[in-house]
Amino acid sequence: MSNAKTPNHQVEHWLGEWERTLRGDDPTAAAELFEQNGYWRDLVSFTWNIKTVEGHAALRDMIGATVANTQPFDWNLAGDAREENGVVEAWITFQTAVGRGHGHLRLREGKAWTLLTTLKELRDYPEQRNDLRPKGARHGVFKNRKSWLEERREEEAELGYSRQPYCVVIGGGQGGIGLAARLRQLNVPTIVVEKNPRPGDSWRNRYKSLCLHDPVWYDHMPYLPFPDHWPVFSPKDKIGDWLEMYTRIMEINYWGSTECTGARYDEQAGEWVVDVNRDGERVTLRPQQLVLATGMSGMPNVPEIPGMEDFQGEQHHSSKHPGGEAYAGKKCVVLGANNSAHDICAALWEHGADVTMVQRSSTHVIKSETLMELVLGPLYSEEAVNNGITTEMADMTFASIPYKVMPQFHVPVYEQVAEKDADFYRRLRDAGFMLDFGDDGSGLFMKYLRRGSGYYIDVGACELVANGDIKLRSGVGIERINAHSVTLTDGSELPADLIVYATGYGSMNGWAARIISQEVADKVGKCWGMGSDTTKDPGPWEGELRNMWKPTRQQALWFHGGNLHQSRFYSQFLALQLKARMEGLDTPVYGQQEVHHLA
């Protein structure tokens, strides 16, 4: 019977039944509105968590545990629903006791396959935007009037000294800056602590050839999108300048040249004690919330290889690599075969170095133009913009796909990728390069979500590998480092003047260990990955990224990171969680994840 109804009617009928069963306190009836293996993903609105449940039993539990506190109502279709291949999709809106929500629904034969619910705003604490924007000028005549600049300087002088911030964000890259911008709009007093002098220096200090491999439509910051003439792929120094400008315009309290020397949580006072060195001045901050926004990665992974101390040349991790200029005519060995390794090898070759890539395990590779056309294009491209797909709509569409289902969407796309670029992949394999498309053929983004590594978006280096300009040793590692060479695990030897360890990074909780304690790092456990039981992402299945943007096992400690897209999207939900706590709202957390892995 549902097939005879229009998509709009099907969605409106489902929403009506959903609201009726929720109001009737009937979790069983509400769960039965889903397919037997249906999914509900909630971003803060019901769970004060980032949580996905699947199947009737888990749905019943989440509904029974959250609805009384959430008090959801006013479920409505937003715009027109659409149907394709038997799936009805629709945007929806709803309200809760404390806020307004936005969501997405997929129906098959009248039952919910996937439901996404997100908290859009706190009703009593909205952002001061549009009709609520500040006036800026105080009309009238007043003695001792202060200008905007005087008030801003007064705030900068007070915060952290005579007045404590509610939140301290450690890490002033794009993640910390974007989160601080959202907190600013919610009137949450915040200080960003960054060891580099200027906003954007974390980009400026990377190797010279670095450009974003993701396109501009994917990389906007909150509130201020890049202008229409911005290049598709942003050079690192241009991004650095944009972040510096953004920090100033968004009035972020940014403490550059400041290093956090230690932090501990004072249980009795309910606040953090954060010691920092601010350009030589020792300052103790006492925020109620602490956010580690040190990137999705932790400390650089530098392997311990026998003989490192005897090497007579230069060796460093890829995060410290300055560029290729100084190495013309030098013998260079790059350990690793992912994004940074390819970029660094290509730049060394461009500057006349003799460079060898050492590939220990297989890498997923996708050509940049193919990624744009087949993978990102439908949501993040000029064509998508022209089709009316806003950044928010693209982000919500992506978020509406539960991680368990996501491979089903990606595998067919990457089959197209493999077919389209079959000759490209053949040439790489012929050169000895070890390729993969992920353990299950789901490609780039699933590999990124599961392990944060193991891939390269090709912007030219693969051609150098295929034709032998970048020499390749695959299926081996470095067994020993000698004074002027490296010995590989197959017994062969490579002369070396430079060794670059493009060996990635550890879990983000490594920063917690360094800044707070190993005990706290172990208490919160591993960050990133979802328990897919694939390479470098051990089970059990957890359904969401570990510890990211949500409450952790350490009270008042949060992790924020990811690429520009993730930082932009998930910062809004982290900001709302922090604002709710600052205002004393009841925030019962449902379904907090267990800790299964320490690092």
Side-chain angles (χ1 to χ4, degrees):
M1 186 172 183
S2 62
N3 290 335
K5 296 178 180 178
T6 67
N8 282 6
H9 286 149
Q10 291 184 59
V11 171
E12 288 166 347
H13 174 75
W14 191 92
L15 291 175
E17 290 298 296
W18 174 244
E19 184 159 3
R20 181 184 64 78
T21 55
L22 295 184
R23 282 186 172 176
D25 190 24
D26 192 345
T28 297
E32 287 174 354
L33 294 172
F34 287 76
E35 296 180 354
Q36 188 63 42
N37 294 311
Y39 298 85
W40 180 9
R41 187 179 196 216
D42 180 65
L43 306 183
V44 180
S45 61
F46 279 71
T47 59
W48 292 105
N49 197 358
I50 293 178
K51 183 70 177 176
T52 298
V53 294
E54 52 194 86
H56 282 186
L59 287 160
R60 281 194 302 272
D61 188 79
M62 183 157 133
I63 293 165
T66 63
V67 168
N69 181 268
T70 305
Q71 300 175 40
F73 66 100
D74 197 23
W75 294 84
N76 287 294
L77 172 65
D80 286 326
R82 66 185 184 91
E83 184 169 10
E84 185 176 351
N85 298 323
V87 180
V88 174
E89 293 194 44
W91 297 107
I92 60 174
T93 60
F94 62 96
Q95 298 195 55
T96 72
V98 299
R100 297 180 176 86
H102 185 205
H104 185 274
L105 175 67
R106 289 184 181 87
L107 299 176
R108 295 192 297 200
E109 297 184 355
K111 297 278 190 178
W113 177 26
T114 69
L115 172 66
L116 170 71
T117 50
T118 74
L119 183 63
K120 186 71 175 172
E121 72 172 2
L122 296 169
R123 188 179 297 105
D124 293 338
Y125 308 101
E127 291 187 358
Q128 305 300 295
R129 58 160 75 187
N130 299 329
D131 292 342
L132 299 176
R133 72 173 74 225
K135 184 168 284 187
R138 188 182 178 197
H139 293 161
V141 180
F142 307 94
K143 289 186 176 181
N144 302 316
R145 178 197 296 268
K146 291 181 180 178
S147 69
W148 171 86
L149 182 60
E150 288 171 323
E151 290 180 344
R152 181 78 182 103
R153 286 177 174 168
E154 187 176 274
E155 178 189 9
E156 290 175 334
E158 290 178 355
L159 196 63
Y161 295 96
S162 61
R163 180 164 62 93
Q164 286 300 311
Y166 179 75
C167 179
V168 165
V169 179
I170 297 178
Q174 70 269 9
I177 289 169
L179 175 62
R182 291 200 186 273
L183 291 171
R184 179 82 183 182
Q185 300 314 303
L186 289 168
N187 294 314
V188 177
T190 301
I191 290 175
V192 176
V193 171
E194 169 58 43
K195 65 180 179 180
N196 289 310
R198 296 161 54 199
D201 278 352
S202 56
W203 286 93
R204 295 187 188 98
N205 294 341
R206 296 296 303 279
Y207 52 90
K208 180 179 177 180
S209 61
L210 177 63
C211 286
L212 287 180
H213 290 185
D214 299 321
V216 62
W217 306 278
Y218 191 71
D219 293 332
H220 295 301
M221 295 288 288
Y223 309 114
L224 292 177
F226 294 114
D228 291 345
H229 63 267
W230 196 265
V232 174
F233 301 106
S234 303
K236 70 179 183 74
D237 296 289
K238 194 173 181 68
I239 282 288
D241 289 349
W242 179 266
L243 293 175
E244 186 168 24
M245 175 279 299
Y246 184 94
T247 301
R248 181 180 294 271
I249 289 175
M250 298 305 292
E251 301 176 28
I252 293 168
N253 294 301
Y254 191 95
W255 285 17
S257 299
T258 303
E259 186 167 4
C260 179
T261 57
R264 62 180 177 85
Y265 189 67
D266 185 333
E267 298 276 356
Q268 191 168 11
E271 63 186 21
W272 286 93
V273 180
V274 181
D275 296 318
V276 302
N277 185 325
R278 188 184 188 191
D279 203 14
E281 176 190 11
R282 293 175 182 266
V283 182
T284 297
L285 301 170
R286 293 184 174 271
Q288 293 184 49
Q289 307 288 340
L290 182 64
V291 180
L292 299 187
T294 49
M296 60 150 283
S297 303
M299 311 297 294
N301 279 332
V302 179
E304 294 185 6
I305 302 173
M308 292 177 77
E309 67 281 1
D310 300 323
F311 187 59
Q312 298 298 302
E314 186 177 346
Q315 55 183 324
H316 50 241
H317 189 264
S318 59
S319 59
K320 303 295 185 184
H321 185 66
E325 292 88 343
Y327 305 104
K330 301 289 188 180
K331 302 282 188 181
C332 304
V333 174
V334 177
L335 180 62
N338 297 330
N339 266 338
S340 294
H342 279 84
D343 284 351
I344 290 168
C345 284
L348 287 167
W349 178 85
E350 287 178 340
H351 288 90
D354 180 337
V355 59
T356 300
M357 177 188 292
V358 178
Q359 184 189 26
R360 296 169 295 173
S361 58
S362 64
T363 306
H364 172 62
V365 174
I366 184 169
K367 297 176 75 171
S368 176
E369 55 267 32
T370 304
L371 177 69
M372 291 275 293
E373 177 187 344
L374 297 181
V375 183
L376 292 178
L379 291 178
Y380 299 98
S381 65
E382 201 65 38
E383 181 182 2
V385 172
N386 293 335
N387 288 334
I389 299 176
T390 64
T391 301
E392 180 183 15
M393 189 182 299
D395 288 350
M396 285 286 287
T397 300
F398 202 90
S400 74
I401 306 171
Y403 291 138
K404 194 68 160 296
V405 174
M406 198 171 280
Q408 299 176 31
F409 286 75
H410 287 218
V411 168
V413 174
Y414 282 92
E415 288 173 350
Q416 293 179 53
V417 169
E419 183 178 353
K420 180 179 187 296
D421 294 327
D423 184 64
F424 166 76
Y425 291 120
R426 179 190 58 76
R427 294 180 64 235
L428 278 176
R429 288 191 175 98
D430 287 349
F433 194 87
M434 299 187 296
L435 284 165
D436 70 58
F437 278 79
D439 287 11
D440 57 359
S442 58
L444 174 70
F445 205 76
M446 292 310 301
K447 207 167 189 189
Y448 169 72
L449 291 169
R450 290 165 173 169
R451 53 184 281 191
S453 65
Y455 53 84
Y456 170 55
I457 301 172
D458 179 41
V459 292
C462 282
E463 182 61 31
L464 298 176
V465 174
N467 65 25
D469 287 325
I470 293 175
K471 298 171 185 175
L472 177 68
R473 298 300 306 274
S474 60
V476 294
I478 298 177
E479 185 172 273
R480 178 173 179 82
I481 297 175
N482 311 306
H484 300 285
S485 66
V486 299
T487 301
L488 302 181
T489 52
D490 64 357
S492 61
E493 191 171 346
L494 295 175
D497 303 303
L498 168 71
I499 304 169
V500 179
Y501 303 106
T503 44
Y505 300 82
S507 171
M508 278 183 73
N509 68 340
W511 285 107
R514 178 173 174 176
I515 293 169
I516 307 168
S517 69
Q518 188 63 53
E519 180 184 2
V520 167
D522 291 345
K523 184 178 182 180
V524 300
K526 180 181 176 66
C527 297
W528 211 260
M530 62 194 76
S532 62
D533 205 22
T534 58
T535 304
K536 296 190 177 181
D537 183 29
W541 177 249
E542 302 190 41
E544 293 287 348
L545 294 181
R546 302 180 185 97
N547 284 320
M548 300 303 299
W549 317 294
K550 59 186 176 183
T552 68
R553 290 286 169 179
Q554 169 59 54
Q555 186 175 348
L557 177 65
W558 310 78
F559 291 91
H560 177 56
N563 58 29
L564 281 152
H565 151 252
Q566 290 171 306
S567 293
R568 172 186 66 245
F569 182 67
Y570 287 102
S571 61
Q572 63 189 308
F573 304 109
L574 178 49
L576 287 169
Q577 292 174 83
L578 294 170
K579 175 66 172 178
R581 284 162 173 78
M582 189 184 87
E583 299 298 345
L585 299 182
D586 188 21
T587 57
V589 177
Y590 173 79
Q592 192 165 21
Q593 289 180 332
E594 299 292 333
V595 174
H596 298 288
H597 306 283
L598 301 185

